[in-house]
Amino acid sequence: METVVSGIRPTGNLHLGNYFGAMQNFVKMQSEYNSFFFIADYHSLTTHPTPEDLHGNVKKVLVEYLACGIDPEKATLYIQSDLPETAELYLLLNMNAYMGELERVTTFKEKAKKQPQNVNAGLLTYPSLMAADIIIHKANKVPVGKDQEQHLEMTRTFARRFNRMYKVQFFPEPEAFNFGATLVKIPGLDGSGKMGKSEGEGNAIFLADEPNVIKKKVMRAVSDAGPTVPNSIKPEPIENLFSLLRVMSTADTVEYFEAKYNSCEIRYGDLKKQLVEDIVKFTEPLRERIKELSSDDKYLGKVAAMGAEKAHDSGAKNIKDVREIIGFRKF
Ligand code: TRP
């Protein structure tokens, strides 16, 4: 069975974009692959070196992964720092990672620009930590978005380099796992681009948002004065509202508003009200499950412990082999 690894940094709640873009696919994958899903708490320190509530943020993601249907019996759901062997592999990979190649990484350049007062070594070596996460389980596939492709290319470089330097065929070269046609893009509410937490307050609808918050965000979503020519092409903010409608509402509802749009009779207030209703209905079970899980620290503790153990079974064995290969041996 092929191995899949994916991680998420604990820097906020999951939104509808995460749900349709990743979570739904993770849930499918967990039955078909040897799957590792982890919460990248080490990585979060590269941008938040003194996190205010690291544990609370990790808990949020753990709760939301479970609420979305990740089954800790099927997948290995763990917290990155619970597998400290990751840090050992990271150290070893760093010995063969070059300043030049690390400095060329786009996300590094962007983050360095964003936090010029804190261009730390962790930020520079983000790709070697990410590579460690992936190859520690000898993963074949990594389900990530386009923005992570360069990191994945680096992972392949590091895996190949290790194999070559130590004359072994140890690490597979993992490939990006694009979920193909099933990937649903969720636009944000600010009129352009996709839903994302970093695009500013109000652009994303979080799975944990209460109905009144959903209402406020949707009613404030960018729209325009409405079409004046029948059957006109929709400008981006309007197309985005319809995209959301297509995901969240019934085909009849979509058809109804399409017709209203095409005859220039559309009232965006009505469309938004409908959207609010359908989003609230859709997220209801998730919201409930999130609440339930959040108050069950005992269960969360069990899940985390089980994940740590399973991750360790896989990772520690591979690290033992790596140590052998490099030449760290017992006397
Ligand atoms: N860099 C990824 C992101 O920002 C998170 C991540 C860390 C990751 N380690 C990983 C993703 C390993 C996949 C595999 O989205």
Side-chain angles (χ1 to χ4, degrees), residues 142-170:
V142 185
V144 284
K146 263 219 149 26
D147 61 326
Q148 296 296 313
E149 256 160 33
Q150 198 181 14
H151 283 153
L152 210 52
E153 186 63 52
M154 299 282 287
T155 302
R156 281 191 289 273
T157 302
F158 294 145
R160 210 181 308 123
R161 189 173 292 160
F162 181 94
N163 291 342
R164 199 187 58 232
M165 287 182 128
Y166 301 106
K167 300 188 175 58
V168 286
Q169 267 308 323
F170 187 70

PDB file of all heavy atoms in Angstrom, residues 142-170:
ATOM      1  N   VAL A 142       2.089  13.121  -1.585  1.00  0.00           N
ATOM      2  CA  VAL A 142       1.838  14.216  -0.665  1.00  0.00           C
ATOM      3  C   VAL A 142       0.706  15.088  -1.224  1.00  0.00           C
ATOM      4  O   VAL A 142       0.886  15.774  -2.228  1.00  0.00           O
ATOM      5  CB  VAL A 142       3.100  15.079  -0.472  1.00  0.00           C
ATOM      6  CG1 VAL A 142       2.865  16.140   0.594  1.00  0.00           C
ATOM      7  CG2 VAL A 142       4.290  14.219  -0.087  1.00  0.00           C
ATOM      8  N   PRO A 143      -0.458  15.038  -0.610  1.00  0.00           N
ATOM      9  CA  PRO A 143      -1.576  15.842  -1.105  1.00  0.00           C
ATOM     10  C   PRO A 143      -1.434  17.293  -0.656  1.00  0.00           C
ATOM     11  O   PRO A 143      -1.753  17.631   0.475  1.00  0.00           O
ATOM     12  CB  PRO A 143      -2.811  15.190  -0.470  1.00  0.00           C
ATOM     13  CG  PRO A 143      -2.299  14.492   0.756  1.00  0.00           C
ATOM     14  CD  PRO A 143      -0.843  14.208   0.547  1.00  0.00           C
ATOM     15  N   VAL A 144      -0.917  18.119  -1.520  1.00  0.00           N
ATOM     16  CA  VAL A 144      -0.770  19.544  -1.195  1.00  0.00           C
ATOM     17  C   VAL A 144      -1.193  20.400  -2.378  1.00  0.00           C
ATOM     18  O   VAL A 144      -1.260  19.927  -3.504  1.00  0.00           O
ATOM     19  CB  VAL A 144       0.694  19.915  -0.843  1.00  0.00           C
ATOM     20  CG1 VAL A 144       1.070  19.443   0.537  1.00  0.00           C
ATOM     21  CG2 VAL A 144       1.659  19.394  -1.892  1.00  0.00           C
ATOM     22  N   GLY A 145      -1.435  21.634  -2.093  1.00  0.00           N
ATOM     23  CA  GLY A 145      -1.829  22.578  -3.140  1.00  0.00           C
ATOM     24  C   GLY A 145      -0.633  23.058  -3.944  1.00  0.00           C
ATOM     25  O   GLY A 145       0.522  22.734  -3.636  1.00  0.00           O
ATOM     26  N   LYS A 146      -0.949  23.850  -4.946  1.00  0.00           N
ATOM     27  CA  LYS A 146       0.071  24.365  -5.869  1.00  0.00           C
ATOM     28  C   LYS A 146       1.178  25.125  -5.144  1.00  0.00           C
ATOM     29  O   LYS A 146       2.344  25.036  -5.514  1.00  0.00           O
ATOM     30  CB  LYS A 146      -0.604  25.326  -6.871  1.00  0.00           C
ATOM     31  CG  LYS A 146      -0.979  24.721  -8.186  1.00  0.00           C
ATOM     32  CD  LYS A 146      -0.698  25.719  -9.318  1.00  0.00           C
ATOM     33  CE  LYS A 146      -0.311  25.081 -10.634  1.00  0.00           C
ATOM     34  NZ  LYS A 146      -0.768  23.750 -10.893  1.00  0.00           N
ATOM     35  N   ASP A 147       0.801  25.863  -4.109  1.00  0.00           N
ATOM     36  CA  ASP A 147       1.777  26.697  -3.395  1.00  0.00           C
ATOM     37  C   ASP A 147       2.873  25.882  -2.706  1.00  0.00           C
ATOM     38  O   ASP A 147       3.878  26.428  -2.279  1.00  0.00           O
ATOM     39  CB  ASP A 147       1.053  27.584  -2.368  1.00  0.00           C
ATOM     40  CG  ASP A 147       0.318  26.762  -1.320  1.00  0.00           C
ATOM     41  OD1 ASP A 147      -0.194  25.683  -1.657  1.00  0.00           O
ATOM     42  OD2 ASP A 147       0.258  27.196  -0.163  1.00  0.00           O
ATOM     43  N   GLN A 148       2.676  24.568  -2.624  1.00  0.00           N
ATOM     44  CA  GLN A 148       3.666  23.731  -1.939  1.00  0.00           C
ATOM     45  C   GLN A 148       4.529  22.924  -2.909  1.00  0.00           C
ATOM     46  O   GLN A 148       5.353  22.111  -2.493  1.00  0.00           O
ATOM     47  CB  GLN A 148       2.953  22.775  -0.972  1.00  0.00           C
ATOM     48  CG  GLN A 148       2.230  23.480   0.159  1.00  0.00           C
ATOM     49  CD  GLN A 148       3.174  24.217   1.064  1.00  0.00           C
ATOM     50  OE1 GLN A 148       4.196  23.690   1.480  1.00  0.00           O
ATOM     51  NE2 GLN A 148       2.867  25.471   1.356  1.00  0.00           N
ATOM     52  N   GLU A 149       4.322  23.141  -4.200  1.00  0.00           N
ATOM     53  CA  GLU A 149       5.026  22.315  -5.181  1.00  0.00           C
ATOM     54  C   GLU A 149       6.541  22.477  -5.115  1.00  0.00           C
ATOM     55  O   GLU A 149       7.281  21.507  -5.242  1.00  0.00           O
ATOM     56  CB  GLU A 149       4.500  22.584  -6.590  1.00  0.00           C
ATOM     57  CG  GLU A 149       3.597  21.453  -7.048  1.00  0.00           C
ATOM     58  CD  GLU A 149       2.680  21.820  -8.182  1.00  0.00           C
ATOM     59  OE1 GLU A 149       3.079  22.639  -9.023  1.00  0.00           O
ATOM     60  OE2 GLU A 149       1.551  21.296  -8.206  1.00  0.00           O
ATOM     61  N   GLN A 150       6.977  23.701  -4.884  1.00  0.00           N
ATOM     62  CA  GLN A 150       8.421  23.926  -4.814  1.00  0.00           C
ATOM     63  C   GLN A 150       9.031  23.205  -3.596  1.00  0.00           C
ATOM     64  O   GLN A 150      10.122  22.645  -3.670  1.00  0.00           O
ATOM     65  CB  GLN A 150       8.724  25.425  -4.754  1.00  0.00           C
ATOM     66  CG  GLN A 150      10.158  25.745  -5.119  1.00  0.00           C
ATOM     67  CD  GLN A 150      10.455  27.229  -5.036  1.00  0.00           C
ATOM     68  OE1 GLN A 150       9.687  28.012  -4.475  1.00  0.00           O
ATOM     69  NE2 GLN A 150      11.579  27.632  -5.601  1.00  0.00           N
ATOM     70  N   HIS A 151       8.293  23.232  -2.486  1.00  0.00           N
ATOM     71  CA  HIS A 151       8.755  22.503  -1.303  1.00  0.00           C
ATOM     72  C   HIS A 151       8.888  21.013  -1.598  1.00  0.00           C
ATOM     73  O   HIS A 151       9.811  20.342  -1.134  1.00  0.00           O
ATOM     74  CB  HIS A 151       7.779  22.698  -0.138  1.00  0.00           C
ATOM     75  CG  HIS A 151       7.903  24.031   0.530  1.00  0.00           C
ATOM     76  ND1 HIS A 151       6.851  24.631   1.175  1.00  0.00           N
ATOM     77  CD2 HIS A 151       8.946  24.870   0.643  1.00  0.00           C
ATOM     78  CE1 HIS A 151       7.258  25.800   1.673  1.00  0.00           C
ATOM     79  NE2 HIS A 151       8.514  25.964   1.355  1.00  0.00           N
ATOM     80  N   LEU A 152       7.947  20.515  -2.358  1.00  0.00           N
ATOM     81  CA  LEU A 152       7.953  19.094  -2.675  1.00  0.00           C
ATOM     82  C   LEU A 152       9.098  18.743  -3.613  1.00  0.00           C
ATOM     83  O   LEU A 152       9.713  17.676  -3.495  1.00  0.00           O
ATOM     84  CB  LEU A 152       6.610  18.723  -3.306  1.00  0.00           C
ATOM     85  CG  LEU A 152       6.186  17.302  -3.034  1.00  0.00           C
ATOM     86  CD1 LEU A 152       6.219  16.989  -1.559  1.00  0.00           C
ATOM     87  CD2 LEU A 152       4.807  17.061  -3.585  1.00  0.00           C
ATOM     88  N   GLU A 153       9.396  19.659  -4.500  1.00  0.00           N
ATOM     89  CA  GLU A 153      10.536  19.473  -5.392  1.00  0.00           C
ATOM     90  C   GLU A 153      11.824  19.377  -4.560  1.00  0.00           C
ATOM     91  O   GLU A 153      12.684  18.543  -4.806  1.00  0.00           O
ATOM     92  CB  GLU A 153      10.588  20.670  -6.366  1.00  0.00           C
ATOM     93  CG  GLU A 153      11.636  20.564  -7.456  1.00  0.00           C
ATOM     94  CD  GLU A 153      11.394  19.385  -8.388  1.00  0.00           C
ATOM     95  OE1 GLU A 153      10.257  19.279  -8.903  1.00  0.00           O
ATOM     96  OE2 GLU A 153      12.324  18.577  -8.576  1.00  0.00           O
ATOM     97  N   MET A 154      11.920  20.224  -3.545  1.00  0.00           N
ATOM     98  CA  MET A 154      13.085  20.193  -2.642  1.00  0.00           C
ATOM     99  C   MET A 154      13.138  18.852  -1.910  1.00  0.00           C
ATOM    100  O   MET A 154      14.209  18.285  -1.699  1.00  0.00           O
ATOM    101  CB  MET A 154      12.988  21.301  -1.588  1.00  0.00           C
ATOM    102  CG  MET A 154      12.966  22.698  -2.118  1.00  0.00           C
ATOM    103  SD  MET A 154      14.576  23.282  -2.605  1.00  0.00           S
ATOM    104  CE  MET A 154      15.351  23.550  -1.028  1.00  0.00           C
ATOM    105  N   THR A 155      11.965  18.374  -1.501  1.00  0.00           N
ATOM    106  CA  THR A 155      11.913  17.083  -0.795  1.00  0.00           C
ATOM    107  C   THR A 155      12.500  15.986  -1.672  1.00  0.00           C
ATOM    108  O   THR A 155      13.302  15.163  -1.218  1.00  0.00           O
ATOM    109  CB  THR A 155      10.446  16.739  -0.425  1.00  0.00           C
ATOM    110  OG1 THR A 155       9.924  17.785   0.386  1.00  0.00           O
ATOM    111  CG2 THR A 155      10.367  15.424   0.319  1.00  0.00           C
ATOM    112  N   ARG A 156      12.116  16.016  -2.945  1.00  0.00           N
ATOM    113  CA  ARG A 156      12.659  15.008  -3.871  1.00  0.00           C
ATOM    114  C   ARG A 156      14.171  15.171  -4.007  1.00  0.00           C
ATOM    115  O   ARG A 156      14.911  14.186  -4.019  1.00  0.00           O
ATOM    116  CB  ARG A 156      11.996  15.147  -5.256  1.00  0.00           C
ATOM    117  CG  ARG A 156      10.619  14.518  -5.312  1.00  0.00           C
ATOM    118  CD  ARG A 156      10.112  14.440  -6.744  1.00  0.00           C
ATOM    119  NE  ARG A 156       9.771  15.748  -7.291  1.00  0.00           N
ATOM    120  CZ  ARG A 156       8.575  16.326  -7.141  1.00  0.00           C
ATOM    121  NH1 ARG A 156       7.629  15.703  -6.482  1.00  0.00           N
ATOM    122  NH2 ARG A 156       8.328  17.512  -7.658  1.00  0.00           N
ATOM    123  N   THR A 157      14.610  16.422  -4.097  1.00  0.00           N
ATOM    124  CA  THR A 157      16.051  16.674  -4.195  1.00  0.00           C
ATOM    125  C   THR A 157      16.780  16.105  -2.981  1.00  0.00           C
ATOM    126  O   THR A 157      17.791  15.419  -3.112  1.00  0.00           O
ATOM    127  CB  THR A 157      16.316  18.197  -4.288  1.00  0.00           C
ATOM    128  OG1 THR A 157      15.628  18.697  -5.430  1.00  0.00           O
ATOM    129  CG2 THR A 157      17.794  18.498  -4.412  1.00  0.00           C
ATOM    130  N   PHE A 158      16.261  16.371  -1.786  1.00  0.00           N
ATOM    131  CA  PHE A 158      16.914  15.892  -0.567  1.00  0.00           C
ATOM    132  C   PHE A 158      16.904  14.359  -0.489  1.00  0.00           C
ATOM    133  O   PHE A 158      17.887  13.746  -0.061  1.00  0.00           O
ATOM    134  CB  PHE A 158      16.248  16.477   0.687  1.00  0.00           C
ATOM    135  CG  PHE A 158      16.417  17.964   0.827  1.00  0.00           C
ATOM    136  CD1 PHE A 158      15.405  18.751   1.377  1.00  0.00           C
ATOM    137  CD2 PHE A 158      17.590  18.592   0.410  1.00  0.00           C
ATOM    138  CE1 PHE A 158      15.555  20.126   1.516  1.00  0.00           C
ATOM    139  CE2 PHE A 158      17.747  19.968   0.547  1.00  0.00           C
ATOM    140  CZ  PHE A 158      16.720  20.734   1.092  1.00  0.00           C
ATOM    141  N   ALA A 159      15.806  13.755  -0.901  1.00  0.00           N
ATOM    142  CA  ALA A 159      15.702  12.292  -0.861  1.00  0.00           C
ATOM    143  C   ALA A 159      16.712  11.677  -1.830  1.00  0.00           C
ATOM    144  O   ALA A 159      17.458  10.749  -1.484  1.00  0.00           O
ATOM    145  CB  ALA A 159      14.282  11.856  -1.230  1.00  0.00           C
ATOM    146  N   ARG A 160      16.760  12.242  -3.036  1.00  0.00           N
ATOM    147  CA  ARG A 160      17.678  11.757  -4.066  1.00  0.00           C
ATOM    148  C   ARG A 160      19.126  11.930  -3.611  1.00  0.00           C
ATOM    149  O   ARG A 160      19.954  11.047  -3.744  1.00  0.00           O
ATOM    150  CB  ARG A 160      17.436  12.573  -5.347  1.00  0.00           C
ATOM    151  CG  ARG A 160      17.713  11.816  -6.623  1.00  0.00           C
ATOM    152  CD  ARG A 160      17.459  12.706  -7.846  1.00  0.00           C
ATOM    153  NE  ARG A 160      16.158  13.342  -7.864  1.00  0.00           N
ATOM    154  CZ  ARG A 160      15.937  14.666  -7.947  1.00  0.00           C
ATOM    155  NH1 ARG A 160      16.934  15.516  -8.020  1.00  0.00           N
ATOM    156  NH2 ARG A 160      14.712  15.149  -7.960  1.00  0.00           N
ATOM    157  N   ARG A 161      19.397  13.095  -3.045  1.00  0.00           N
ATOM    158  CA  ARG A 161      20.749  13.411  -2.600  1.00  0.00           C
ATOM    159  C   ARG A 161      21.203  12.429  -1.519  1.00  0.00           C
ATOM    160  O   ARG A 161      22.335  11.953  -1.535  1.00  0.00           O
ATOM    161  CB  ARG A 161      20.777  14.854  -2.084  1.00  0.00           C
ATOM    162  CG  ARG A 161      22.150  15.384  -1.802  1.00  0.00           C
ATOM    163  CD  ARG A 161      22.069  16.859  -1.458  1.00  0.00           C
ATOM    164  NE  ARG A 161      21.682  17.706  -2.582  1.00  0.00           N
ATOM    165  CZ  ARG A 161      21.188  18.941  -2.458  1.00  0.00           C
ATOM    166  NH1 ARG A 161      21.020  19.478  -1.261  1.00  0.00           N
ATOM    167  NH2 ARG A 161      20.874  19.649  -3.521  1.00  0.00           N
ATOM    168  N   PHE A 162      20.313  12.153  -0.593  1.00  0.00           N
ATOM    169  CA  PHE A 162      20.639  11.195   0.478  1.00  0.00           C
ATOM    170  C   PHE A 162      20.987   9.840  -0.140  1.00  0.00           C
ATOM    171  O   PHE A 162      22.017   9.242   0.179  1.00  0.00           O
ATOM    172  CB  PHE A 162      19.454  11.051   1.450  1.00  0.00           C
ATOM    173  CG  PHE A 162      19.717  10.094   2.587  1.00  0.00           C
ATOM    174  CD1 PHE A 162      20.203  10.547   3.808  1.00  0.00           C
ATOM    175  CD2 PHE A 162      19.487   8.725   2.430  1.00  0.00           C
ATOM    176  CE1 PHE A 162      20.456   9.660   4.855  1.00  0.00           C
ATOM    177  CE2 PHE A 162      19.739   7.830   3.467  1.00  0.00           C
ATOM    178  CZ  PHE A 162      20.225   8.307   4.681  1.00  0.00           C
ATOM    179  N   ASN A 163      20.118   9.379  -1.029  1.00  0.00           N
ATOM    180  CA  ASN A 163      20.351   8.075  -1.659  1.00  0.00           C
ATOM    181  C   ASN A 163      21.693   8.045  -2.384  1.00  0.00           C
ATOM    182  O   ASN A 163      22.432   7.065  -2.322  1.00  0.00           O
ATOM    183  CB  ASN A 163      19.225   7.752  -2.659  1.00  0.00           C
ATOM    184  CG  ASN A 163      17.890   7.486  -1.972  1.00  0.00           C
ATOM    185  OD1 ASN A 163      17.854   7.209  -0.766  1.00  0.00           O
ATOM    186  ND2 ASN A 163      16.801   7.572  -2.724  1.00  0.00           N
ATOM    187  N   ARG A 164      21.991   9.137  -3.073  1.00  0.00           N
ATOM    188  CA  ARG A 164      23.223   9.185  -3.845  1.00  0.00           C
ATOM    189  C   ARG A 164      24.450   9.264  -2.937  1.00  0.00           C
ATOM    190  O   ARG A 164      25.414   8.524  -3.104  1.00  0.00           O
ATOM    191  CB  ARG A 164      23.192  10.376  -4.803  1.00  0.00           C
ATOM    192  CG  ARG A 164      24.209  10.236  -5.952  1.00  0.00           C
ATOM    193  CD  ARG A 164      24.277  11.501  -6.793  1.00  0.00           C
ATOM    194  NE  ARG A 164      24.625  12.624  -5.937  1.00  0.00           N
ATOM    195  CZ  ARG A 164      23.941  13.773  -5.870  1.00  0.00           C
ATOM    196  NH1 ARG A 164      22.887  13.974  -6.599  1.00  0.00           N
ATOM    197  NH2 ARG A 164      24.315  14.741  -5.060  1.00  0.00           N
ATOM    198  N   MET A 165      24.392  10.155  -1.963  1.00  0.00           N
ATOM    199  CA  MET A 165      25.547  10.353  -1.081  1.00  0.00           C
ATOM    200  C   MET A 165      25.923   9.099  -0.316  1.00  0.00           C
ATOM    201  O   MET A 165      27.094   8.830  -0.096  1.00  0.00           O
ATOM    202  CB  MET A 165      25.271  11.476  -0.094  1.00  0.00           C
ATOM    203  CG  MET A 165      25.310  12.844  -0.733  1.00  0.00           C
ATOM    204  SD  MET A 165      25.040  14.108   0.519  1.00  0.00           S
ATOM    205  CE  MET A 165      26.431  15.173   0.228  1.00  0.00           C
ATOM    206  N   TYR A 166      24.893   8.360   0.116  1.00  0.00           N
ATOM    207  CA  TYR A 166      25.181   7.178   0.927  1.00  0.00           C
ATOM    208  C   TYR A 166      25.053   5.887   0.115  1.00  0.00           C
ATOM    209  O   TYR A 166      25.080   4.800   0.672  1.00  0.00           O
ATOM    210  CB  TYR A 166      24.285   7.169   2.171  1.00  0.00           C
ATOM    211  CG  TYR A 166      24.492   8.415   3.019  1.00  0.00           C
ATOM    212  CD1 TYR A 166      23.527   9.427   3.047  1.00  0.00           C
ATOM    213  CD2 TYR A 166      25.676   8.601   3.744  1.00  0.00           C
ATOM    214  CE1 TYR A 166      23.736  10.587   3.780  1.00  0.00           C
ATOM    215  CE2 TYR A 166      25.880   9.760   4.482  1.00  0.00           C
ATOM    216  CZ  TYR A 166      24.913  10.748   4.499  1.00  0.00           C
ATOM    217  OH  TYR A 166      25.121  11.893   5.216  1.00  0.00           O
ATOM    218  N   LYS A 167      24.905   6.051  -1.199  1.00  0.00           N
ATOM    219  CA  LYS A 167      24.859   4.900  -2.118  1.00  0.00           C
ATOM    220  C   LYS A 167      23.828   3.861  -1.686  1.00  0.00           C
ATOM    221  O   LYS A 167      24.137   2.684  -1.496  1.00  0.00           O
ATOM    222  CB  LYS A 167      26.249   4.254  -2.218  1.00  0.00           C
ATOM    223  CG  LYS A 167      27.315   5.222  -2.734  1.00  0.00           C
ATOM    224  CD  LYS A 167      28.619   4.497  -3.015  1.00  0.00           C
ATOM    225  CE  LYS A 167      29.638   5.424  -3.647  1.00  0.00           C
ATOM    226  NZ  LYS A 167      29.941   6.618  -2.801  1.00  0.00           N
ATOM    227  N   VAL A 168      22.599   4.349  -1.499  1.00  0.00           N
ATOM    228  CA  VAL A 168      21.492   3.453  -1.124  1.00  0.00           C
ATOM    229  C   VAL A 168      20.273   3.801  -1.962  1.00  0.00           C
ATOM    230  O   VAL A 168      20.248   4.832  -2.641  1.00  0.00           O
ATOM    231  CB  VAL A 168      21.105   3.616   0.377  1.00  0.00           C
ATOM    232  CG1 VAL A 168      22.146   2.983   1.280  1.00  0.00           C
ATOM    233  CG2 VAL A 168      20.908   5.093   0.720  1.00  0.00           C
ATOM    234  N   GLN A 169      19.293   2.928  -1.937  1.00  0.00           N
ATOM    235  CA  GLN A 169      17.989   3.258  -2.517  1.00  0.00           C
ATOM    236  C   GLN A 169      17.018   3.250  -1.352  1.00  0.00           C
ATOM    237  O   GLN A 169      16.205   2.345  -1.210  1.00  0.00           O
ATOM    238  CB  GLN A 169      17.601   2.207  -3.571  1.00  0.00           C
ATOM    239  CG  GLN A 169      18.015   2.556  -4.985  1.00  0.00           C
ATOM    240  CD  GLN A 169      17.539   3.956  -5.390  1.00  0.00           C
ATOM    241  OE1 GLN A 169      16.441   4.377  -5.015  1.00  0.00           O
ATOM    242  NE2 GLN A 169      18.352   4.676  -6.146  1.00  0.00           N
ATOM    243  N   PHE A 170      17.138   4.243  -0.490  1.00  0.00           N
ATOM    244  CA  PHE A 170      16.373   4.177   0.760  1.00  0.00           C
ATOM    245  C   PHE A 170      15.070   4.972   0.697  1.00  0.00           C
ATOM    246  O   PHE A 170      13.992   4.440   0.932  1.00  0.00           O
ATOM    247  CB  PHE A 170      17.248   4.658   1.923  1.00  0.00           C
ATOM    248  CG  PHE A 170      16.592   4.460   3.257  1.00  0.00           C
ATOM    249  CD1 PHE A 170      16.428   3.176   3.776  1.00  0.00           C
ATOM    250  CD2 PHE A 170      16.122   5.538   3.986  1.00  0.00           C
ATOM    251  CE1 PHE A 170      15.804   2.974   4.992  1.00  0.00           C
ATOM    252  CE2 PHE A 170      15.490   5.341   5.216  1.00  0.00           C
ATOM    253  CZ  PHE A 170      15.338   4.057   5.711  1.00  0.00           C
TER     254      PHE A 170
END
